[in-house]
Amino acid sequence: MGNPSLRDIAVFSGSAHPELAAEICAHLGVPLLPVQFERFANDCLQVQLQANCRERDVFIIQPLVKPVQEHLVELLLMLDAARGASAARISVVIPHYAYARSDKKDAPRISIGGRLVADLMVTAGADRVLAMTLHSPQVHGFFSVPVDHLHALHELARHFRQYDLSNATVVSPDLGNAKEAAHFARLLGARVASGTKQRYADDRVEITSVIGDITGRDVIVLDDEIARGSTVLELLDRLRELKPRTIRVACTHGLFADKAIDRIGSQEDVLEIVCTNTVPVAVEERSEKLKILSIAPAMAEAMRRIHNGESVSSLFEPI
């Protein structure tokens, strides 16, 4: 019958990452409930949640991954369906929020998609949000409902503790990610360093220097996400000038667009690329250097705590 303390919970998933949703439900001990998606002749989508939602605590799991707009509309329609079905509370679980990168007005007459999409989700019916490693802290404030913001640093730290870290330095590609890198370095008992980055276009960056102790050390490059990999490749060029002993690369969201895994993995001095399963990585895109860690246990525990009215922040107390 599953977990009796969770009998009022109802978990649904869109088509973005059903494998992760199924794994989360396995950890919760509840079924992943069916959803029917139908596309009409005019290309419009219709969604039907095929389980009772009335007065239940509904969780809808959907990372916003490619094709982002398709998965976003699926999510909005699922939220609307749950609200129309008299759910007691609707939590949207977004392991990866792609629009978080659109978080500021850094050019004239551009949209701030992170705020707009947050408003759309709340308008569609979201009562609260569970997210993982948003691109920048201010995105949390774009939502007018409570947000539980998880990170994957403990999962990444558990992986890297298998190595000798007595000579390790965690390197952030830029100062914007330096706080997270410093937190990660504390978890590992390592030193921290940071690149100074200038972005000229979505795929063109320049890192002019690296501040910190690199020479002869075991470097772990940490970023929140890797898309095309241009930042990581640029950083590797700067690091090589400082002659580190070893290099490993880690991130939470392994988007790996445009054969980024191949381009990073083909660097002979990169020993390993580590990411989590917040987004699906196609089997044909994987490399022998790639290690994918699961965030399903952490997501499941956060959902259990939200349902039971317990603290989620205590998940991140020092270990």
Side-chain angles (χ1 to χ4, degrees):
M1 291 295 293
N3 189 329
S5 69
L6 297 173
R7 68 176 171 270
D8 293 327
I9 198 172
V11 183
F12 299 94
S13 168
S15 65
H17 201 349
E19 300 83 6
L20 175 60
E23 195 183 337
I24 289 171
C25 286
H27 282 281
L28 281 171
V30 302
L32 178 60
L33 299 171
V35 183
Q36 182 177 36
F37 298 99
E38 189 175 356
R39 189 181 295 274
F40 295 115
N42 66 355
D43 202 39
C44 289
L45 283 172
Q46 178 176 277
V47 168
Q48 183 183 34
L49 305 179
Q50 298 192 298
N52 180 33
C53 298
R54 187 174 294 275
E55 296 307 315
R56 298 181 78 184
D57 196 2
V58 171
F59 290 83
I60 297 174
I61 302 171
Q62 180 87 320
L64 293 185
V65 295
K66 193 174 179 180
V68 173
Q69 282 60 242
E70 191 86 5
H71 291 140
L72 172 59
V73 173
E74 275 186 15
L75 174 57
L76 297 174
L77 292 173
M78 285 188 289
L79 289 166
D80 183 67
R83 182 177 57 180
S86 302
R89 180 176 64 180
I90 306 166
S91 299
V92 57
V93 180
I94 326 172
H96 176 60
Y97 182 37
Y99 273 102
R101 289 187 70 123
S102 178
D103 60 355
K104 57 188 175 295
K105 191 171 179 179
D106 52 8
R109 298 173 298 284
I110 63 166
S111 58
I112 303 177
R115 175 65 192 266
L116 173 63
V117 173
D119 286 344
L120 286 172
M121 284 190 250
V122 174
T123 299
D127 295 309
R128 66 183 305 128
V129 172
L130 176 62
M132 172 75 75
T133 312
L134 294 168
H135 184 63
S136 55
Q138 66 262 31
V139 176
H140 190 139
F142 289 174
F143 292 89
S144 56
V145 294
V147 176
D148 289 299
H149 187 195
L150 308 185
H151 63 66
L153 297 183
H154 284 306
E155 284 74 13
L156 291 167
R158 270 194 290 273
H159 172 79
F160 282 102
R161 285 196 190 104
Q162 69 183 287
Y163 305 120
D164 176 6
L165 298 171
S166 59
N167 192 42
T169 298
V170 175
V171 182
S172 168
D174 56 49
L175 295 170
N177 202 51
K179 189 173 181 181
E180 187 167 315
H183 184 179
F184 189 53
R186 282 196 300 275
L187 289 174
L188 296 179
R191 297 184 189 175
V192 66
S194 178
T196 55
K197 182 173 81 173
Q198 179 76 43
R199 181 173 289 279
Y200 297 101
D202 186 40
D203 62 346
R204 196 165 72 84
V205 298
E206 182 184 6
I207 295 175
T208 51
S209 62
V210 177
I211 304 162
D213 196 2
I214 301 297
T215 304
R217 297 187 65 81
D218 300 313
V219 164
I220 302 170
V221 174
L222 177 74
D223 210 349
D224 61 330
E225 68 178 58
I226 296 175
R228 287 193 174 98
S230 49
T231 295
V232 170
L233 291 169
E234 173 79 4
L235 179 60
L236 292 177
D237 286 342
R238 297 289 80 72
L239 290 172
R240 287 182 188 114
E241 294 167 3
L242 301 168
K243 296 183 169 48
R245 188 167 75 175
T246 63
I247 300 174
R248 288 180 165 86
V249 175
C251 68
T252 299
H253 308 299
L255 301 172
F256 302 129
D258 299 338
K259 300 192 180 301
I261 291 180
D262 291 344
R263 283 185 285 125
I264 298 170
S266 64
Q267 311 292 309
E268 289 186 11
D269 52 359
V270 174
L271 301 181
E272 186 178 44
I273 306 165
V274 184
C275 70
T276 75
N277 62 343
T278 54
V279 305
V281 180
V283 173
E284 63 272 14
E285 293 178 5
R286 297 183 185 185
S287 146
E288 59 185 27
K289 290 186 179 181
L290 180 67
K291 173 73 175 176
I292 302 175
L293 311 177
S294 179
I295 49 90
M299 282 280 182
E301 178 61 14
M303 289 164 64
R304 187 192 68 77
R305 291 183 183 207
I306 289 167
H307 177 69
N308 292 335
E310 300 170 15
S311 169
V312 173
S313 61
S314 62
L315 275 173
F316 302 118
E317 288 171 355
I319 56 173

